[in-house]
Coordinates of all heavy atoms in Angstrom, one line a residue:
M1401 N -7.5 -23.4 -16.4 CA -8.4 -23.1 -15.4 C -9.2 -21.8 -15.7 O -8.6 -20.8 -16.1 CB -7.6 -22.9 -14.1 CG -8.4 -23.5 -12.9 SD -7.6 -23.2 -11.3 CE -5.9 -23.9 -11.5
T1402 N -10.5 -21.8 -15.6 CA -11.3 -20.6 -15.9 C -11.6 -19.9 -14.6 O -11.4 -20.4 -13.5 CB -12.6 -21.0 -16.6 OG1 -13.4 -21.7 -15.7 CG2 -12.3 -21.8 -17.8
A1403 N -12.2 -18.7 -14.7 CA -12.6 -18.0 -13.5 C -13.7 -18.7 -12.7 O -13.9 -18.5 -11.6 CB -13.1 -16.6 -13.9
D1404 N -14.4 -19.6 -13.4 CA -15.5 -20.3 -12.7 C -15.0 -21.6 -12.2 O -15.8 -22.4 -11.6 CB -16.6 -20.6 -13.7 CG -17.3 -19.3 -14.2 OD1 -17.3 -18.4 -13.4 OD2 -17.7 -19.3 -15.4
D1405 N -13.7 -21.9 -12.3 CA -13.2 -23.2 -11.8 C -13.3 -23.2 -10.3 O -12.8 -22.4 -9.6 CB -11.7 -23.3 -12.2 CG -11.1 -24.6 -12.0 OD1 -11.4 -25.2 -10.9 OD2 -10.4 -25.1 -12.8
P1406 N -14.0 -24.2 -9.7 CA -14.2 -24.3 -8.3 C -12.9 -24.4 -7.5 O -12.8 -24.1 -6.3 CB -15.1 -25.6 -8.1 CG -15.0 -26.3 -9.4 CD -14.6 -25.3 -10.5
R1407 N -11.8 -24.9 -8.2 CA -10.5 -25.0 -7.5 C -10.0 -23.6 -7.1 O -9.1 -23.4 -6.3 CB -9.5 -25.7 -8.4 CG -9.8 -27.2 -8.5 CD -8.9 -27.8 -9.5 NE -9.1 -27.3 -10.8 CZ -8.4 -27.7 -11.9 NH1 -7.4 -28.5 -11.8 NH2 -8.7 -27.2 -13.1
Q1408 N -10.6 -22.5 -7.7 CA -10.2 -21.2 -7.4 C -11.0 -20.5 -6.3 O -10.7 -19.4 -5.9 CB -10.3 -20.3 -8.6 CG -9.3 -20.6 -9.7 CD -9.3 -19.6 -10.8 OE1 -10.4 -19.0 -11.1 NE2 -8.2 -19.3 -11.4
A1409 N -11.9 -21.3 -5.7 CA -12.8 -20.7 -4.7 C -11.9 -20.3 -3.5 O -11.1 -21.1 -3.0 CB -13.8 -21.7 -4.2
G1410 N -12.1 -19.1 -3.0 CA -11.3 -18.7 -1.9 C -9.9 -18.2 -2.2 O -9.1 -17.8 -1.3
E1411 N -9.5 -18.4 -3.4 CA -8.1 -18.0 -3.8 C -8.1 -16.5 -4.1 O -9.0 -16.0 -4.7 CB -7.7 -18.8 -5.0 CG -7.5 -20.3 -4.8 CD -6.3 -20.6 -3.9 OE1 -5.3 -19.9 -4.0 OE2 -6.5 -21.5 -3.0
P1412 N -7.0 -15.9 -3.7 CA -6.8 -14.5 -4.1 C -6.8 -14.3 -5.6 O -6.4 -15.2 -6.3 CB -5.5 -14.1 -3.5 CG -5.0 -15.2 -2.7 CD -5.8 -16.4 -3.0
R1413 N -7.3 -13.2 -6.1 CA -7.4 -13.0 -7.6 C -6.0 -12.8 -8.1 O -5.7 -13.0 -9.3 CB -8.3 -11.9 -7.9 CG -9.8 -12.4 -7.9 CD -10.7 -11.2 -8.1 NE -10.8 -10.4 -6.9 CZ -11.5 -9.4 -6.7 NH1 -12.2 -8.9 -7.7 NH2 -11.5 -8.8 -5.5
T1414 N -5.1 -12.3 -7.3 CA -3.8 -12.0 -7.8 C -2.8 -12.7 -6.9 O -3.0 -12.7 -5.7 CB -3.5 -10.5 -7.7 OG1 -4.5 -9.8 -8.2 CG2 -2.2 -10.1 -8.4
R1415 N -1.9 -13.4 -7.4 CA -0.9 -14.2 -6.6 C 0.5 -13.7 -6.6 O 0.9 -13.2 -7.6 CB -0.9 -15.7 -7.1 CG -2.1 -16.4 -6.9 CD -1.9 -17.9 -7.2 NE -2.7 -18.7 -6.4 CZ -2.4 -19.1 -5.1 NH1 -1.2 -18.7 -4.6 NH2 -3.2 -19.8 -4.4
D1416 N 1.1 -13.8 -5.5 CA 2.5 -13.4 -5.3 C 2.8 -12.0 -5.9 O 3.9 -11.8 -6.5 CB 3.4 -14.5 -6.1 CG 3.1 -15.9 -5.6 OD1 2.9 -16.0 -4.3 OD2 3.1 -16.8 -6.4
V1417 N 2.0 -11.1 -5.6 CA 2.2 -9.8 -6.0 C 2.2 -8.8 -4.9 O 1.2 -8.8 -4.2 CB 1.2 -9.3 -7.1 CG1 1.4 -7.9 -7.5 CG2 1.3 -10.2 -8.3
T1418 N 3.2 -8.1 -4.6 CA 3.2 -7.1 -3.7 C 3.4 -5.8 -4.4 O 4.4 -5.6 -5.2 CB 4.3 -7.2 -2.6 OG1 4.1 -8.4 -1.9 CG2 4.3 -6.0 -1.6
R1419 N 2.4 -4.9 -4.3 CA 2.5 -3.6 -5.0 C 3.0 -2.5 -4.1 O 2.6 -2.6 -2.9 CB 1.2 -3.3 -5.7 CG 0.9 -4.3 -6.7 CD -0.5 -4.0 -7.4 NE -0.9 -5.2 -8.1 CZ -2.1 -5.5 -8.3 NH1 -3.1 -4.8 -7.9 NH2 -2.4 -6.6 -8.9
A1420 N 3.7 -1.6 -4.6 CA 4.2 -0.5 -3.8 C 3.8 0.8 -4.4 O 3.8 0.9 -5.6 CB 5.8 -0.6 -3.7
C1421 N 3.5 1.8 -3.5 CA 3.3 3.1 -4.0 C 3.9 4.0 -2.9 O 4.0 3.7 -1.7 CB 1.8 3.4 -4.3 SG 0.7 3.1 -2.9
E1422 N 4.3 5.2 -3.3 CA 5.0 6.0 -2.4 C 4.9 7.5 -2.8 O 4.7 7.8 -4.0 CB 6.5 5.6 -2.4 CG 7.2 5.8 -3.7 CD 8.4 4.8 -3.9 OE1 8.4 3.8 -3.2 OE2 9.2 5.1 -4.7
N1423 N 5.1 8.4 -1.8 CA 5.2 9.8 -2.1 C 6.4 10.2 -1.3 O 7.2 9.4 -0.8 CB 3.9 10.6 -1.9 CG 3.5 10.5 -0.4 OD1 4.2 10.2 0.5 ND2 2.2 10.9 -0.2
A1424 N 6.5 11.5 -1.1 CA 7.7 12.0 -0.3 C 7.7 11.6 1.1 O 8.7 11.7 1.8 CB 7.8 13.5 -0.5
H1425 N 6.5 11.2 1.7 CA 6.4 11.0 3.1 C 6.1 9.6 3.5 O 6.3 9.2 4.7 CB 5.2 11.9 3.6 CG 5.3 13.3 3.2 ND1 6.2 14.1 3.7 CD2 4.6 14.0 2.2 CE1 6.1 15.3 3.1 NE2 5.1 15.3 2.2
I1426 N 5.6 8.8 2.7 CA 5.2 7.4 3.1 C 5.4 6.4 1.9 O 5.2 6.8 0.7 CB 3.8 7.4 3.7 CG1 3.5 6.0 4.3 CG2 2.8 7.7 2.6 CD1 2.2 6.0 5.2
R1427 N 5.7 5.2 2.2 CA 5.8 4.1 1.2 C 4.8 3.0 1.7 O 4.9 2.6 2.8 CB 7.2 3.6 1.1 CG 7.3 2.5 0.1 CD 8.8 2.2 -0.2 NE 8.9 1.8 -1.6 CZ 9.3 0.5 -1.9 NH1 9.7 -0.3 -1.0 NH2 9.4 0.2 -3.2
V1428 N 3.9 2.7 0.8 CA 2.9 1.7 1.2 C 3.0 0.4 0.3 O 3.2 0.5 -0.9 CB 1.4 2.3 0.9 CG1 0.4 1.2 1.2 CG2 1.2 3.5 1.8
L1429 N 3.0 -0.7 1.0 CA 3.1 -2.0 0.3 C 1.7 -2.7 0.4 O 1.1 -2.7 1.5 CB 4.2 -2.9 0.9 CG 5.6 -2.2 0.9 CD1 6.5 -3.2 1.6 CD2 6.1 -2.0 -0.5
W1430 N 1.3 -3.3 -0.6 CA 0.0 -4.1 -0.5 C 0.3 -5.5 -1.1 O 0.7 -5.6 -2.3 CB -1.1 -3.4 -1.3 CG -2.4 -4.2 -1.3 CD1 -3.1 -4.5 -0.2 CD2 -3.0 -4.8 -2.4 NE1 -4.2 -5.2 -0.6 CE2 -4.2 -5.5 -1.9 CE3 -2.7 -4.9 -3.8 CZ2 -5.0 -6.2 -2.8 CZ3 -3.6 -5.6 -4.6 CH2 -4.7 -6.2 -4.1
D1431 N 0.1 -6.5 -0.3 CA 0.3 -7.9 -0.7 C -1.1 -8.5 -1.0 O -1.9 -8.8 -0.1 CB 1.0 -8.6 0.4 CG 1.3 -10.1 0.1 OD1 0.7 -10.6 -0.9 OD2 2.1 -10.7 0.8
A1432 N -1.3 -8.7 -2.3 CA -2.6 -9.2 -2.7 C -2.9 -10.6 -2.2 O -4.1 -10.9 -2.0 CB -2.7 -9.2 -4.3
T1433 N -1.9 -11.3 -1.9 CA -2.2 -12.7 -1.5 C -2.6 -12.7 0.0 O -3.2 -13.7 0.5 CB -0.9 -13.6 -1.6 OG1 0.1 -13.1 -0.7 CG2 -0.4 -13.6 -3.0
R1434 N -2.4 -11.6 0.7 CA -2.8 -11.6 2.1 C -4.1 -10.9 2.4 O -4.7 -10.9 3.5 CB -1.7 -10.9 3.0 CG -0.4 -11.7 2.9 CD 0.6 -11.1 3.8 NE 0.4 -11.4 5.2 CZ 1.3 -11.2 6.1 NH1 2.4 -10.6 5.8 NH2 1.0 -11.5 7.4
C1435 N -4.6 -10.2 1.3 CA -5.8 -9.4 1.5 C -7.1 -10.3 1.4 O -7.2 -11.1 0.5 CB -5.9 -8.4 0.3 SG -7.5 -7.4 0.4
I1436 N -7.9 -10.2 2.5 CA -9.1 -11.0 2.5 C -10.4 -10.1 2.3 O -11.5 -10.5 2.6 CB -9.2 -11.8 3.8 CG1 -9.2 -10.9 5.0 CG2 -8.1 -12.8 3.9 CD1 -9.5 -11.5 6.4
H1437 N -10.2 -8.9 1.8 CA -11.3 -8.1 1.4 C -12.2 -7.7 2.5 O -13.4 -7.8 2.3 CB -12.0 -8.7 0.2 CG -11.0 -9.1 -0.9 ND1 -10.3 -8.2 -1.6 CD2 -10.6 -10.3 -1.3 CE1 -9.5 -8.9 -2.5 NE2 -9.7 -10.1 -2.3
T1438 N -11.7 -7.4 3.7 CA -12.5 -6.9 4.8 C -13.1 -5.5 4.5 O -14.0 -5.2 5.2 CB -11.7 -6.9 6.1 OG1 -10.7 -5.9 5.9 CG2 -11.1 -8.2 6.4
A1439 N -12.4 -4.8 3.7 CA -12.8 -3.4 3.3 C -12.6 -2.4 4.5 O -13.1 -1.3 4.5 CB -14.3 -3.3 2.8
I1440 N -11.9 -2.8 5.5 CA -11.6 -1.9 6.6 C -10.9 -0.7 6.1 O -11.2 0.5 6.4 CB -10.8 -2.6 7.7 CG1 -11.6 -3.7 8.4 CG2 -10.2 -1.6 8.7 CD1 -10.9 -4.6 9.3
C1441 N -9.9 -0.9 5.2 CA -9.1 0.3 4.7 C -10.1 1.2 3.9 O -10.0 2.4 4.0 CB -8.0 -0.2 3.9 SG -8.4 -1.3 2.5
L1442 N -11.0 0.6 3.1 CA -11.9 1.4 2.3 C -12.8 2.2 3.1 O -13.1 3.4 2.8 CB -12.7 0.5 1.4 CG -12.0 -0.6 0.6 CD1 -13.0 -1.4 -0.2 CD2 -10.9 0.1 -0.3
R1443 N -13.3 1.7 4.3 CA -14.2 2.4 5.1 C -13.5 3.5 5.9 O -14.0 4.6 6.2 CB -15.0 1.4 6.0 CG -16.0 0.6 5.3 CD -16.9 -0.1 6.3 NE -16.2 -1.0 7.2 CZ -16.0 -2.3 6.9 NH1 -16.5 -2.8 5.8 NH2 -15.3 -3.0 7.8
R1444 N -12.3 3.2 6.4 CA -11.6 4.1 7.3 C -11.1 5.3 6.5 O -11.0 6.4 7.0 CB -10.4 3.4 7.9 CG -10.8 2.6 9.2 CD -9.6 2.1 9.8 NE -8.7 3.1 10.4 CZ -8.4 3.1 11.6 NH1 -8.7 2.2 12.5 NH2 -7.6 4.1 12.1
L1445 N -10.6 5.1 5.3 CA -10.0 6.2 4.5 C -10.3 6.1 3.0 O -9.4 5.8 2.2 CB -8.4 6.1 4.7 CG -7.7 7.4 4.7 CD1 -8.3 8.5 5.6 CD2 -6.2 7.2 5.1
P1446 N -11.6 6.3 2.7 CA -12.0 6.2 1.3 C -11.3 7.2 0.3 O -11.2 7.0 -0.9 CB -13.5 6.4 1.3 CG -13.7 7.1 2.6 CD -12.7 6.7 3.5
E1447 N -10.7 8.3 0.9 CA -10.0 9.2 0.1 C -8.7 8.7 -0.5 O -8.2 9.2 -1.5 CB -9.7 10.5 0.8 CG -10.9 11.2 1.4 CD -11.3 10.7 2.8 OE1 -10.7 9.7 3.3 OE2 -12.3 11.2 3.4
V1448 N -8.2 7.6 0.2 CA -7.0 7.0 -0.2 C -7.2 5.6 -0.9 O -6.6 5.3 -1.9 CB -6.0 6.9 1.0 CG1 -4.8 6.0 0.6 CG2 -5.6 8.3 1.5
F1449 N -8.1 4.8 -0.2 CA -8.3 3.4 -0.7 C -9.6 3.3 -1.4 O -10.7 3.5 -0.7 CB -8.2 2.5 0.5 CG -6.9 2.5 1.3 CD1 -6.7 3.3 2.4 CD2 -5.8 1.9 0.8 CE1 -5.5 3.4 3.1 CE2 -4.5 1.9 1.4 CZ -4.4 2.7 2.6
D1450 N -9.6 3.1 -2.7 CA -10.8 3.1 -3.5 C -10.7 2.1 -4.6 O -9.9 2.3 -5.5 CB -11.1 4.5 -4.1 CG -12.3 4.6 -5.0 OD1 -13.0 3.5 -5.1 OD2 -12.5 5.6 -5.5
V1451 N -11.4 0.9 -4.4 CA -11.2 -0.1 -5.4 C -11.8 0.2 -6.7 O -11.6 -0.5 -7.7 CB -11.8 -1.5 -4.9 CG1 -11.0 -2.0 -3.8 CG2 -13.3 -1.3 -4.5
G1452 N -12.6 1.3 -6.8 CA -13.2 1.7 -8.1 C -12.2 2.6 -8.9 O -12.5 2.9 -10.0
A1453 N -11.1 3.0 -8.3 CA -10.1 3.8 -9.0 C -8.9 3.0 -9.4 O -8.6 2.0 -8.8 CB -9.8 5.0 -8.0
R1454 N -8.2 3.5 -10.3 CA -6.9 2.9 -10.7 C -5.9 4.0 -10.8 O -6.1 5.0 -11.5 CB -7.0 2.2 -12.1 CG -7.9 1.0 -12.1 CD -7.2 -0.1 -11.2 NE -8.0 -1.3 -11.1 CZ -8.9 -1.5 -10.1 NH1 -9.0 -0.7 -9.2 NH2 -9.6 -2.7 -10.1
P1455 N -4.8 3.9 -10.0 CA -4.5 2.8 -9.1 C -5.5 3.0 -7.9 O -6.0 4.1 -7.6 CB -3.1 3.0 -8.6 CG -2.8 4.5 -8.9 CD -3.7 4.9 -10.1
W1456 N -5.7 1.9 -7.2 CA -6.7 1.9 -6.1 C -6.2 2.6 -4.8 O -7.0 2.9 -3.9 CB -7.2 0.5 -5.8 CG -6.4 -0.4 -4.9 CD1 -5.2 -1.0 -5.3 CD2 -6.5 -0.7 -3.6 NE1 -4.7 -1.7 -4.3 CE2 -5.5 -1.6 -3.2 CE3 -7.5 -0.3 -2.6 CZ2 -5.4 -2.1 -1.9 CZ3 -7.4 -0.8 -1.3 CH2 -6.3 -1.7 -1.0
I1457 N -4.9 2.8 -4.7 CA -4.4 3.6 -3.6 C -3.9 4.9 -4.1 O -3.0 5.0 -5.0 CB -3.2 2.8 -2.9 CG1 -3.7 1.5 -2.4 CG2 -2.6 3.6 -1.8 CD1 -2.6 0.6 -1.8
D1458 N -4.4 6.0 -3.5 CA -4.0 7.4 -3.9 C -3.5 8.1 -2.7 O -4.3 8.5 -1.8 CB -5.2 8.1 -4.5 CG -4.9 9.5 -4.8 OD1 -3.7 9.9 -4.8 OD2 -5.9 10.3 -5.1
L1459 N -2.2 8.2 -2.6 CA -1.6 8.7 -1.4 C -1.8 10.2 -1.2 O -1.5 10.8 -0.1 CB -0.1 8.4 -1.3 CG 0.2 6.9 -1.3 CD1 1.7 6.7 -1.3 CD2 -0.4 6.2 -0.1
S1460 N -2.3 10.9 -2.2 CA -2.5 12.3 -2.1 C -3.8 12.6 -1.3 O -4.1 13.7 -1.0 CB -2.6 13.0 -3.5 OG -3.8 12.5 -4.2
G1461 N -4.6 11.5 -1.0 CA -5.9 11.7 -0.3 C -5.8 12.0 1.1 O -6.9 12.4 1.7
A1462 N -4.7 11.9 1.8 CA -4.6 12.1 3.3 C -3.2 12.3 3.7 O -2.2 12.0 2.9 CB -5.2 10.9 4.0
E1463 N -3.0 12.7 4.9 CA -1.7 12.9 5.5 C -1.1 11.5 5.8 O -1.8 10.5 6.0 CB -1.7 13.7 6.8 CG -2.2 15.1 6.6 CD -1.3 15.9 5.7 OE1 0.0 15.8 5.9 OE2 -1.8 16.7 4.9
A1464 N 0.3 11.4 5.7 CA 1.0 10.2 5.9 C 0.6 9.5 7.2 O 0.4 8.2 7.3 CB 2.5 10.4 5.9
E1465 N 0.4 10.2 8.3 CA 0.1 9.6 9.6 C -1.3 9.0 9.6 O -1.5 7.9 10.2 CB 0.2 10.6 10.7 CG 0.1 10.0 12.1 CD 0.9 8.7 12.3 OE1 2.1 8.7 12.0 OE2 0.3 7.7 12.7
E1466 N -2.2 9.6 8.9 CA -3.6 9.1 8.8 C -3.5 7.8 8.0 O -4.2 6.8 8.3 CB -4.4 10.1 8.0 CG -5.6 10.6 8.8 CD -6.4 11.5 7.9 OE1 -5.9 12.3 7.1 OE2 -7.7 11.4 7.9
I1467 N -2.7 7.8 6.9 CA -2.6 6.6 6.1 C -1.9 5.4 6.9 O -2.4 4.3 6.9 CB -1.8 6.9 4.8 CG1 -2.5 7.9 3.9 CG2 -1.5 5.6 4.0 CD1 -1.7 8.5 2.8
A1468 N -0.9 5.8 7.7 CA -0.2 4.8 8.5 C -1.2 4.2 9.5 O -1.1 3.0 9.8 CB 1.0 5.4 9.2
A1469 N -2.0 5.0 10.1 CA -3.0 4.5 11.1 C -4.0 3.5 10.5 O -4.3 2.5 11.1 CB -3.7 5.7 11.7
T1470 N -4.4 3.8 9.3 CA -5.3 2.9 8.6 C -4.6 1.6 8.2 O -5.1 0.5 8.3 CB -5.8 3.6 7.3 OG1 -6.6 4.7 7.7 CG2 -6.7 2.6 6.5
I1471 N -3.3 1.7 7.8 CA -2.5 0.5 7.5 C -2.4 -0.4 8.8 O -2.5 -1.6 8.7 CB -1.2 0.9 6.9 CG1 -1.4 1.5 5.5 CG2 -0.2 -0.2 7.0 CD1 -0.2 2.2 5.0
R1472 N -2.2 0.2 9.9 CA -2.1 -0.5 11.1 C -3.4 -1.3 11.5 O -3.4 -2.3 12.2 CB -1.7 0.4 12.3 CG -0.2 0.8 12.2 CD 0.3 1.4 13.5 NE -0.4 2.7 13.8 CZ 0.1 3.9 13.3 NH1 1.2 4.0 12.6 NH2 -0.6 5.0 13.6
A1473 N -4.5 -0.8 10.9 CA -5.8 -1.4 11.2 C -6.1 -2.6 10.3 O -7.0 -3.3 10.5 CB -6.9 -0.4 11.1
C1474 N -5.3 -2.8 9.3 CA -5.5 -4.0 8.4 C -5.2 -5.3 9.2 O -4.2 -5.5 9.7 CB -4.5 -3.9 7.2 SG -4.5 -5.3 6.1
P1475 N -6.2 -6.1 9.2 CA -6.1 -7.3 10.1 C -5.2 -8.4 9.6 O -4.9 -9.3 10.4 CB -7.6 -7.8 10.2 CG -8.2 -7.4 8.9 CD -7.5 -6.1 8.5
T1476 N -4.8 -8.4 8.4 CA -4.0 -9.5 7.9 C -2.6 -9.1 7.6 O -1.8 -10.0 7.2 CB -4.6 -10.0 6.5 OG1 -4.6 -8.9 5.6 CG2 -6.1 -10.4 6.7
G1477 N -2.2 -7.8 7.6 CA -0.9 -7.4 7.2 C -0.7 -7.3 5.7 O 0.4 -7.2 5.2
A1478 N -1.9 -7.3 5.0 CA -1.8 -7.1 3.6 C -1.3 -5.7 3.2 O -0.5 -5.6 2.3 CB -3.2 -7.3 2.9
L1479 N -1.6 -4.8 4.1 CA -1.1 -3.4 3.9 C 0.1 -3.3 4.9 O 0.0 -3.7 6.1 CB -2.2 -2.4 4.2 CG -3.2 -2.2 3.2 CD1 -4.3 -1.3 3.7 CD2 -2.6 -1.6 1.9
A1480 N 1.1 -2.7 4.4 CA 2.3 -2.4 5.3 C 2.9 -1.1 4.9 O 2.7 -0.6 3.7 CB 3.3 -3.5 5.2
T1481 N 3.6 -0.5 5.8 CA 4.3 0.7 5.4 C 5.7 0.6 5.9 O 6.0 -0.1 6.9 CB 3.6 2.0 6.0 OG1 4.3 3.1 5.6 CG2 3.5 1.9 7.5
K1482 N 6.6 1.3 5.2 CA 8.0 1.2 5.6 C 8.5 2.7 5.9 O 7.9 3.6 5.3 CB 8.9 0.7 4.4 CG 8.5 -0.7 4.0 CD 9.5 -1.7 4.5 CE 9.0 -3.1 4.1 NZ 9.9 -4.1 4.5
A1483 N 9.4 2.8 6.8 CA 10.0 4.1 7.0 C 10.5 4.6 5.6 O 11.1 3.8 4.8 CB 11.2 4.0 8.0
W1484 N 10.3 5.8 5.3 CA 10.5 6.2 3.9 C 11.0 7.6 3.9 O 10.5 8.5 4.5 CB 9.2 6.1 3.1 CG 9.2 6.6 1.8 CD1 8.5 7.7 1.3 CD2 10.0 6.1 0.6 NE1 8.8 7.9 0.0 CE2 9.7 6.9 -0.5 CE3 10.9 5.1 0.5 CZ2 10.3 6.8 -1.7 CZ3 11.5 4.9 -0.8 CH2 11.2 5.7 -1.8
R1485 N 12.0 7.8 3.1 CA 12.5 9.2 2.8 C 12.7 9.2 1.3 O 13.4 8.3 0.7 CB 13.8 9.4 3.5 CG 14.3 10.8 3.2 CD 15.7 11.0 3.9 NE 15.5 11.1 5.3 CZ 16.5 11.0 6.2 NH1 17.7 10.8 5.7 NH2 16.3 11.1 7.4
S1486 N 12.0 10.1 0.6 CA 12.1 10.1 -0.8 C 13.6 10.4 -1.2 O 14.3 11.1 -0.5 CB 11.2 11.2 -1.4 OG 11.7 12.5 -1.2
P1487 N 14.0 10.0 -2.4 CA 15.3 10.3 -2.9 C 15.6 11.8 -2.9 O 16.8 12.2 -2.6 CB 15.3 9.7 -4.3 CG 14.3 8.7 -4.3 CD 13.2 9.2 -3.4
T1488 N 14.7 12.6 -3.2 CA 15.0 14.0 -3.2 C 15.2 14.6 -1.8 O 16.0 15.4 -1.6 CB 13.8 14.8 -3.9 OG1 12.6 14.3 -3.4 CG2 13.8 14.7 -5.4
S1489 N 14.5 14.1 -0.8 CA 14.7 14.6 0.5 C 16.0 14.1 1.1 O 16.7 14.8 1.8 CB 13.5 14.2 1.5 OG 13.5 12.8 1.7
S1490 N 16.4 12.9 0.8 CA 17.7 12.4 1.3 C 18.9 13.2 0.7 O 19.9 13.3 1.3 CB 17.9 10.9 1.0 OG 18.0 10.6 -0.3
R1491 N 18.7 13.6 -0.6 CA 19.7 14.4 -1.2 C 20.0 15.7 -0.5 O 21.2 16.1 -0.3 CB 19.3 14.7 -2.7 CG 20.5 15.1 -3.5 CD 20.0 15.4 -5.0 NE 19.4 14.2 -5.5 CZ 18.3 14.3 -6.4 NH1 17.9 15.4 -6.8 NH2 17.8 13.2 -6.8
T1492 N 19.0 16.3 0.1 CA 19.2 17.5 0.8 C 19.9 17.3 2.2 O 20.5 18.2 2.7 CB 17.9 18.2 1.1 OG1 17.1 17.4 1.9 CG2 17.2 18.6 -0.2
N1493 N 19.9 16.1 2.7 CA 20.6 15.8 3.9 C 22.0 15.3 3.8 O 22.7 15.0 4.8 CB 19.8 14.8 4.7 CG 18.4 15.4 5.2 OD1 18.3 16.6 5.3 ND2 17.4 14.5 5.3
R1494 N 22.4 15.0 2.6 CA 23.8 14.5 2.3 C 24.8 15.6 2.7 O 24.7 16.8 2.5 CB 24.0 14.2 0.9 CG 24.0 12.7 0.7 CD 24.3 12.4 -0.8 NE 23.3 11.5 -1.2 CZ 22.9 11.4 -2.4 NH1 23.4 12.1 -3.4 NH2 22.0 10.5 -2.7
R1495 N 26.0 15.1 3.3 CA 27.1 16.0 3.6 C 27.7 16.4 2.3 O 27.9 15.7 1.4 CB 28.1 15.3 4.4 CG 27.7 15.2 5.8 CD 28.9 14.7 6.6 NE 28.6 14.7 8.0 CZ 29.3 14.1 8.9 NH1 30.5 13.6 8.6 NH2 29.0 14.2 10.2
R1496 N 28.1 17.6 2.3 CA 28.9 18.1 1.2 C 30.3 17.7 1.3 O 30.9 17.7 2.4 CB 28.8 19.7 1.1 CG 27.4 20.1 0.8 CD 27.4 21.6 0.6 NE 26.1 22.0 0.2 CZ 25.6 23.2 0.3 NH1 26.4 24.2 0.6 NH2 24.4 23.5 -0.1
P1497 N 31.0 17.3 0.2 CA 32.4 17.0 0.2 C 33.2 18.2 0.6 O 32.9 19.3 0.3 CB 32.7 16.6 -1.2 CG 31.5 17.0 -2.0 CD 30.4 17.3 -1.1
R1498 N 34.3 17.9 1.4 CA 35.1 19.0 1.8 C 36.2 19.3 0.8 O 36.7 18.5 0.1 CB 35.8 18.7 3.2 CG 34.7 18.6 4.2 CD 35.3 18.3 5.6 NE 34.2 18.2 6.5 CZ 34.4 18.1 7.8 NH1 35.6 18.2 8.3 NH2 33.4 18.0 8.6
Ligands
LIG1118 S1 -7.9 -3.8 5.4 FE1 -6.3 -5.2 4.6 S2 -7.4 -7.1 4.4 FE2 -9.0 -5.6 4.5 S3 -9.4 -4.9 2.4 FE3 -7.9 -3.5 3.1 S4 -5.9 -4.5 2.5 FE4 -7.5 -6.1 2.4

């Protein structure tokens, strides 16, 4: 099948791929098969979501709560966020052995 194959019309360019990115405050998942390219995320938070950049999600561009609010605006659930605590922050909360 080539890129011009009409059987690919309307098909996501990437199949069965969920990509994850994370920092110390938030973990973001993007399911390429659910994205219908509304560009809502790009318009709401271009400092984070930029299809011209690689990777296209840069979590350093905004605060976690702002990113989470944009994720909630995704109409298809292609973007999702999970409660997240980085491995380094969880280490500081561990009990010390007695
Ligand atoms: S808001 Fe959701 S569906 Fe729209 S482009 Fe972003 S990830 Fe895709």
Side-chain angles (χ1 to χ4, degrees):
M1401 220 181 305
T1402 69
D1404 297 326
D1405 190 318
R1407 289 174 294 177
Q1408 289 187 328
E1411 293 291 320
R1413 280 175 283 180
T1414 313
R1415 291 190 147 277
D1416 303 322
V1417 174
T1418 298
R1419 294 179 197 152
C1421 54
E1422 62 208 22
N1423 63 17
H1425 309 289
I1426 190 167
R1427 181 165 209 244
V1428 175
L1429 303 174
W1430 179 65
D1431 181 343
T1433 65
R1434 298 180 78 169
C1435 178
I1436 59 169
H1437 310 292
T1438 63
I1440 290 171
C1441 55
L1442 308 179
R1443 285 193 300 270
R1444 280 184 65 126
L1445 209 51
E1447 301 86 356
V1448 172
F1449 301 99
D1450 178 1
V1451 290
R1454 291 293 176 268
W1456 79 283
I1457 300 174
D1458 175 10
L1459 298 179
S1460 69
E1463 297 296 320
E1465 187 44 50
E1466 241 183 318
I1467 296 169
T1470 297
I1471 288 169
R1472 287 193 293 272
C1474 174
T1476 64
L1479 285 170
T1481 184
K1482 300 259 179 179
W1484 172 246
R1485 180 183 289 169
S1486 76
T1488 45
S1489 66
S1490 66
R1491 196 177 303 144
T1492 58
N1493 292 334
R1494 251 186 231 152
R1495 280 191 178 170
R1496 293 187 176 164
R1498 294 183 183 190

